[in-house]
Amino acid sequence: SDSQNSKIIENLYTEICSNKTPIETFEKLNIKYIIIDKFPNTYLIHDNKECYIEKNYGTPYIWGNSLYFKDLFSGNKIVFENNRFIIYDTEIKLNPKVESINSTYEYKNPGLYKLYIPSIKSKTEIILRESYHEGWNLYLRKVSSSENFVNKLLHSLWDKPISDETHEIFQGYGNSWILDPEYIKKNYSEEYYLLNEDESITLKLDIYVEPQTYFNLGLIISSILMITLIYLIFYLKDNK
């Protein structure tokens, strides 16, 4: 959300303008590279400050003397530099975009991650390191059957998300949910989980952002209209 992004920027500003390289914040936010624009503000000092926070144009951003920023990150490795920009490597180890105990995930597109949990026996946290948005949801998928094309694109229109009431902001910017296997066993058919010998269950989930569904729907409608229009053009041409 915009308010959450504003808070993140303000926290970064506090650290940077106190002459502190915010490594812990970079790790928390999964920031691998820092880009500094050298051109417009090389000698700019605002209200006798080397840097300040701009709040007049929506989400705030950090502005200031680029030489100050260059000095601040001088201990970091430069991966690219030209007359306009410098890119620094924060040299942090990036955390996975999706994280949970004993799980693997697959990135499909910016609005969809596929999560596979081979064994879950107790309440477990699911973490998504994408900017927090209420539209991010967890959806249980059938364990053994494949989905048709339309259902893959539009399933959030008719499927109910799981653990929606536990959706919270993670570390100030990301998303997290608590998944309860007992709830799943009581409220879902065995199509949606595989019961293991130790009473744990195997799950497949989609982590999906709801606005993507409406984009997909618009794409399908546009494609149908385009195909119909092309058909009519050739049909009328052949019947003249």
Side-chain angles (χ1 to χ4, degrees):
S1 66
D2 288 341
S3 60
Q4 195 61 37
N5 288 337
S6 297
K7 186 176 179 181
I8 291 168
I9 298 297
E10 289 173 1
N11 289 340
L12 273 174
Y13 164 76
T14 301
E15 292 185 89
I16 288 174
C17 293
S18 62
N19 202 31
K20 178 184 176 184
T21 307
I23 295 299
E24 289 184 7
T25 304
F26 292 158
E27 289 176 345
K28 185 187 295 184
L29 300 178
N30 252 18
I31 297 175
K32 178 63 175 171
Y33 300 105
I34 299 295
I35 302 174
I36 296 176
D37 186 347
K38 298 189 290 184
F39 174 68
N41 54 343
T42 300
Y43 303 105
L44 176 65
I45 297 180
H46 180 80
D47 292 337
N48 296 317
K49 295 179 181 179
E50 294 284 3
C51 67
Y52 68 98
I53 192 163
E54 178 61 72
K55 298 183 179 181
N56 296 326
Y57 305 99
T59 299
Y61 57 91
I62 300 169
W63 189 258
N65 186 337
S66 62
L67 294 178
Y68 171 81
F69 293 122
K70 185 175 180 179
D71 212 37
L72 184 64
F73 295 107
S74 60
N76 293 80
K77 179 182 176 182
I78 297 175
V79 295
F80 175 81
E81 182 174 10
N82 61 16
N83 293 332
R84 181 66 186 269
F85 297 103
I86 306 177
I87 301 178
Y88 289 100
D89 189 339
T90 61
E91 300 176 14
I92 67 166
K93 182 180 179 180
L94 292 176
N95 293 304
K97 281 286 189 176
V98 179
E99 187 175 1
S100 184
I101 295 174
N102 188 31
S103 66
T104 58
Y105 77 93
E106 181 183 3
Y107 169 86
K108 302 298 288 186
N109 59 58
L112 174 63
Y113 293 85
K114 296 278 187 180
L115 180 64
Y116 176 70
I117 305 177
S119 176
I120 176 173
K121 200 170 185 178
S122 58
K123 290 183 178 180
T124 300
E125 184 177 30
I126 308 295
I127 297 166
L128 172 66
R129 290 184 174 88
E130 294 279 5
S131 294
Y132 177 84
H133 192 287
E134 291 179 355
W136 280 110
N137 289 303
L138 288 180
Y139 294 92
L140 271 182
R141 314 312 303 152
K142 293 180 180 180
V143 175
S144 57
S145 61
S146 59
E147 297 175 308
N148 61 54
F149 177 74
V150 173
N151 196 50
K152 283 182 179 180
L153 291 178
L154 304 177
H155 67 75
S156 72
L157 288 177
W158 47 78
D159 288 349
K160 183 180 178 181
I162 189 170
S163 302
D164 193 44
E165 70 283 354
T166 69
H167 188 192
E168 294 183 348
I169 298 172
F170 175 75
Q171 291 189 341
Y173 85 103
N175 302 260
S176 75
W177 298 263
I178 301 297
L179 202 59
D180 184 356
E182 292 303 319
Y183 175 86
I184 293 170
K185 286 190 280 187
K186 289 177 182 178
N187 293 276
Y188 287 83
S189 71
E190 293 185 6
E191 290 180 300
Y192 290 92
Y193 65 88
L194 179 65
L195 186 62
N196 302 314
E197 291 183 1
D198 62 354
E199 297 300 316
S200 67
I201 57 176
T202 297
L203 299 174
K204 289 182 179 179
L205 300 105
D206 284 355
I207 307 178
Y208 191 76
V209 65
E210 189 174 354
Q212 183 70 29
T213 296
Y214 301 106
F215 173 80
N216 291 341
L217 181 60
L219 194 63
I220 290 172
I221 292 172
S222 298
S223 299
I224 292 171
L225 289 174
M226 181 63 71
I227 292 170
T228 303
L229 181 61
I230 293 172
Y231 171 79
L232 288 174
I233 289 172
F234 282 98
Y235 177 79
L236 292 174
K237 183 179 179 180
D238 292 340
N239 286 273
K240 278 187 177 181

